[in-house]
């Protein structure tokens, strides 16, 4: 105690004059933070000789009180060096160095009411952070903040990457503009900037706890904090002393890769609050999801149960596919009652009751027998009251069935959350203090039930996964689902790692192999989709496509082989934000690489000096094949297997909207190599033909051809026979499928096999995996389920190519 008193006395006696700047440097002395207390509190930042932020004010406007911005009397100053290393439960590195110089200032207003505020600044080699703390004091008890005055005065009109500031969604495309345009229009954080000298900055927040989400708005080169308010209120934050703000963070790097590799935001969060973390495990997963997103199936059971996606039968088939793909988890959406209606409208979910066609006991038991566990799903429709009223029973239900991962959703169609009885207006913003508190409540309750959370439409990521590692992932940006809604531009995936992902992992839902299922929503090549499993970090990674898209595809081997979530080391080898990105990650002695490209074709040569010297590696390279182009031909993948050392280079030829993925194994390592021959059809083999939209099988009924659910008592086996011109006959016994005419809507029927009859000829065109189109060359029309009918007994006819799921068939050989 005596030593502490002497230390405090020394600091008080040695305080410089108020007009003199108080300086703090990073451990490597490259970054200088200067704080000035002359009339109000301001700070500035420089790196070497380069000015990054000019004097920028701090402070608050508090309801029914004077503005808290100075002038202040400095009554205490404390300096500390932080230097420790910690190991995350999962992450991009197996250990993280936390090294910073810290300055704590205790300030007291010179004028009444003489309120005190503590300011803590930290200078790291890769950035600066500061936060406010309101201590308990006679002049400040319960208070309401109407405006946070924190400002970021950038030194020039820097190049800026940003997303539109909205109080209820982050799901917009990123912009690349001068800073002045960003300031005028307003942005959500992180906001990323590049100076003329090439220095990269990112402004964000860390440890967002019991505070409102920070957005930025201003003018010229000045960005002011713009907190999301309580609904229809001028109040942004409600608090009682003592209370702390989140950290305000300025990441700083020599290049874009430095930002992506920085762990500063994690370092600004508290250590893990969960004592036993053995149950928190990263995983890959597939899902009964893309079929609903792409409109093939529905989430709801009523009024069209035949179109419902989350059926027991489909779940069992997906579990088999997961086991075949070395994927341990399956997400099932739309299993519970309450999905009727549309967005907004999913507000009355019953998360304790399944739909009639979904047997959760049978599905989880079968999954257990195959080594596959379910990822549960809680969609709130934005109705927070309804969700909180069903907790903890909804978590306990999942506990009973061995489900330890949950995807939560807060879909409202960009309107505020519904909060009847929880807040007076009955509404609250997704990104305000109410929602921050709600997500904190959910993650703490989930931890008690040993449940991991992946949140969609969430509060932003700010590194809280260090404290609560069961918050394994979240969406919080325009993800892969928009590849159906509008088609994400390829550049988007090259911007996200340097913006949204600076706060934490993103559930982007990559690996969409059927990249051209609609012609007006092209988003990337198949190789690019593989690359995203590396370049967009998450400990919960989805192979998002329908499982048939991976069947017999050699390129799907990368999905099977790549580990996720627990990486020992990560390096960004090359990057220009929005142009291209090459990231490599090490797991044990093996390396996995992803290269993601924008709309411009390019060639990159990368030294392999990240590999261990003196070790020979076998590399499996998956890259865009000849003719690949995200708009014209997104499918070709070229796979090469050869040997390299650290002295070699990797030459990547990236198509427009393309990419590459690679696996590196020390020579002698036992690993699974690609196999399969997609599109290969064999004469005289027995096949089933399953309709993509309905999951029902092509069925012979007398002379009629219809679709029916799989059943051993139905005639659903088909044999392929070659014709002399390279087409096929699709036969059943002594009959073949025959187009009865050549116009849209003309029926198909079973007629005696006649190889000379052109109406029996089918050009079976491979799409991807086990998906095919069956085109009748005589009419140039496709085999089509009439009226896009999902029901048993629907008839078949021919129709023009319409990019419909009812024109796509999975051809699978019978044992």
């Amino acid at each position: 105690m005596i030593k502490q008193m002497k230390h405090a006395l020394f600091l008080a006696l040695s305080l410089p004059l108020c007009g003199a700047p108080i300086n703090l440097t990073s451990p490597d002395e490259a970054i200088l933070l200067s704080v000035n207390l002359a009339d109000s509190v301001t700070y500035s930042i420089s790196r070497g000789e380069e000015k990054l932020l000019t004097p920028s004010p701090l402070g608050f406007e508090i309801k029914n009180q004077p503005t808290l911005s100075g002038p202040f009397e400095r009554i205490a100053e404390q300096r500390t060096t932080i230097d420790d290393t910690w190991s995350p439960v999962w992450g991009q590195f197996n250990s993280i160095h936390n090294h910073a110089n810290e300055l704590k200032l205790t300030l007291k207003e010179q004028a009444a009411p003489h309120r005190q505020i503590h300011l803590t600044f930290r200078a790291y080699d890769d950035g600066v952070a500061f936060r406010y703390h309101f201590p308990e004091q006679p002049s400040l008890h319960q208070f309401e903040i109407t405006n946070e005055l924190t400002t970021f005065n950038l030194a020039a009109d820097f190049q800026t990457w940003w997303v539109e500031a909205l109080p209820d969604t982050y799901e917009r495309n990123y912009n690349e503009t001068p800073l002045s345009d960003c300031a005028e229009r307003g942005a959500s954080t992180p906001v990323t900037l590049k100076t003329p000298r090439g220095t990269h900055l990112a402004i964000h927040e860390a440890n967002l706890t019991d505070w409102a989400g920070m957005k930025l708005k201003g003018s010229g080169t000045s960005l002011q904090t713009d907190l999301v308010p309580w609904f229809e209120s001028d109040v942004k934050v409600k608090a009682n002393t003592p209370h702390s703000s989140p950290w305000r963070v300025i990441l700083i790097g020599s290049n874009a890769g430095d930002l992506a590799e920085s762990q500063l935001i994690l370092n600004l969060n508290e250590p893990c609050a969960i004592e036993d973390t053995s149950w928190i495990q990263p995983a890959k997963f597939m899902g009964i999801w893309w079929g609903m997103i792409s409109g093939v199936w529905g989430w709801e059971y009523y009024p069209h149960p035949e179109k419902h996606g989350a059926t027991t039968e489909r779940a069992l088939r997906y579990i088999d596919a997961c086991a075949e793909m070395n994927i341990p988890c399956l997400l099932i959406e739309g299993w519970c009652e309450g999905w009727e209606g549309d967005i907004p409208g999913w507000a009355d979910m019953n998360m304790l009751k399944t739909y009639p066609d979904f047997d959760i006991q049978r599905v989880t038991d079968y999954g257990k027998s195959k080594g596959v566990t379910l990822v549960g799903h809680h969609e709130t429709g934005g109705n927070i009251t309804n969700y909180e009223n069903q907790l903890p029973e909804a978590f306990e239900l999942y506990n009973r069935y061995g489900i330890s991962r949950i995807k939560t959703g807060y879909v409202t169609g960009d309107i505020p959350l519904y909060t009847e009885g929880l807040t007076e207006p009955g509404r609250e913003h997704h990104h305000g203090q109410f929602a921050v508190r709600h997500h904190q409540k959910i993650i703490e309750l989930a931890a008690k039930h040993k449940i991991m959370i992946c949140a969609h439409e969430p509060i932003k990521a700010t590194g809280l996964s260090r404290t609560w590692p069961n918050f394994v992932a979240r969406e919080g940006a325009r993800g892969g689902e928009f590849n159906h809604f509008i088609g994400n531009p390829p550049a988007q995936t090259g911007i996200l790692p340097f913006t949204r992902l600076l706060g934490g992992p993103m559930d982007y839902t990559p690996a969409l192999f059927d990249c051209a299922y609609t012609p007006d929503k092209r988003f990337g090549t198949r190789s690019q989709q593989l690359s995203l499993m590396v370049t967009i970090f998450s400990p919960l990674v989805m192979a998002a496509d329908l499982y048939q898209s991976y069947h017999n595809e050699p390129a799907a081997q990368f999905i099977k082989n790549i580990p996720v979530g627990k990486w020992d080391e990560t390096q960004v080898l090359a990057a220009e934000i929005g142009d291209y990105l090459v990231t490599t990650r090490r797991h044990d002695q093996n390396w996995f690489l992803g290269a993601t490209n924008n709309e411009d074709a390019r060639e990159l040569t990368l030294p392999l000096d990240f590999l261990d010297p003196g070790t020979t590696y076998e590399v499996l390279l998956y890259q865009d094949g000849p003719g690949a182009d995200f708009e014209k031909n997104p499918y070709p993948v070229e796979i090469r297997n050869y040997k390299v050392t650290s002295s070699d280079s990797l030459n990547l030829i990236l198509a427009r909207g393309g990419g590459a993925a690679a696996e590196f194994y020390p020579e002698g390592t036992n690993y699974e190599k690609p196999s399969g021959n997609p599109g290969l059809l064999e004469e005289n083999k027995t096949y089933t033909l399953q309709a993509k939209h309905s999951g029902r099988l092509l069925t012979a009924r007398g002379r009629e051809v219809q679709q029916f659910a799989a059943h051993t008592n139905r005639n659903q086996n088909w044999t392929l026979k070659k014709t002399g011109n390279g087409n096929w006959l699709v036969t059943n016994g002594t009959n073949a499928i025959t187009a009865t005419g050549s116009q849209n809507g003309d029926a198909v029927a079973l007629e005696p096999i006649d190889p000379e009859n052109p109406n029996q000829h089918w050009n079976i065109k491979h799409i991807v995996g086990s998906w095919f189109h069956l085109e009748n060359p005589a009419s140039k029309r496709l085999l089509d389920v009439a009226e896009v009918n999902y029901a048993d007994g629907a008839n078949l006819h021919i129709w023009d190519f319409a990019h419909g799921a009812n024109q796509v068939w999975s051809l699978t050989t019978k044992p």
Side-chain angles (χ1 to χ4, degrees), residues 169 224 258 655 672 674 758:
T169 185
Q224 288 89 46
D258 287 347
E672 194 171 348

Side-chain angles (χ1 to χ4, degrees), residues 242-398:
H243 199 81
S244 295
S245 76
W247 291 90
R248 278 56 186 106
V249 184
I250 303 97
L251 296 176
I252 303 171
S254 298
N255 52 54
D258 287 347
L259 299 184
E261 292 179 16
S262 173
Q263 302 299 292
L264 190 157
I265 287 180
L266 281 176
N267 279 328
L268 292 167
N269 281 267
E270 301 302 319
C272 182
I274 302 172
E275 185 174 346
D276 174 20
T277 60
S278 60
W279 53 275
I280 302 174
Q281 295 294 332
K284 291 175 283 190
F285 68 109
M286 294 175 70
I288 300 178
W289 173 78
W290 185 244
M292 283 87 91
I293 291 292
S294 59
V296 174
W297 313 315
W299 284 277
E300 69 279 3
Y301 179 82
Y302 305 103
H304 298 292
E306 71 279 0
K307 195 178 178 181
H308 184 221
T311 67
T312 300
E313 185 271 337
R314 183 170 284 118
L316 300 182
R317 281 193 272 123
Y318 262 83
I319 287 169
D320 287 339
C322 285
E324 291 171 9
M325 287 284 291
N326 189 31
I327 291 177
C329 298
L330 172 65
L331 166 70
I332 300 178
E333 291 197 8
W335 64 273
C336 71
E337 290 195 346
W339 282 92
E340 285 65 44
D342 203 349
I343 304 170
W346 296 335
D348 299 313
M349 294 288 180
N350 185 339
M351 298 165 195
L352 303 173
K353 188 174 181 181
T354 65
Y355 275 132
D357 60 349
F358 185 72
D359 185 339
I360 191 171
Q361 184 73 64
R362 183 181 173 194
V363 169
T364 51
D365 285 349
Y366 187 71
K368 203 172 296 183
S369 74
K370 293 283 188 172
V372 177
T373 60
L374 297 193
V375 176
H377 188 231
H378 285 168
E379 175 53 64
T380 70
N383 189 334
I384 302 303
T385 311
N386 182 56
Y387 189 34
E388 291 191 358
N389 286 345
Q390 294 184 65
L391 297 174
E393 288 82 3
F395 285 168
E396 292 168 354
L397 183 143
Y398 279 152

Side-chain angles (χ1 to χ4, degrees), residues 618-640:
E618 291 190 36
V619 58
L620 269 174
L621 174 63
Y622 310 77
Q623 70 174 359
D624 297 313
D629 181 287
F630 84 102
E631 290 181 306
K632 299 176 182 177
N633 186 17
Y635 291 124
V637 178
E638 180 181 71
I639 302 176
R640 296 173 58 202

Side-chain angles (χ1 to χ4, degrees), residues 196-218:
R197 295 189 185 184
T199 300
H200 285 66
L201 312 172
I203 299 172
H204 194 34
E205 55 185 324
N207 197 346
L208 174 55
T209 306
D210 202 7
W211 202 265
M214 179 177 72
K215 300 183 185 298
L216 300 171
K217 193 172 177 60

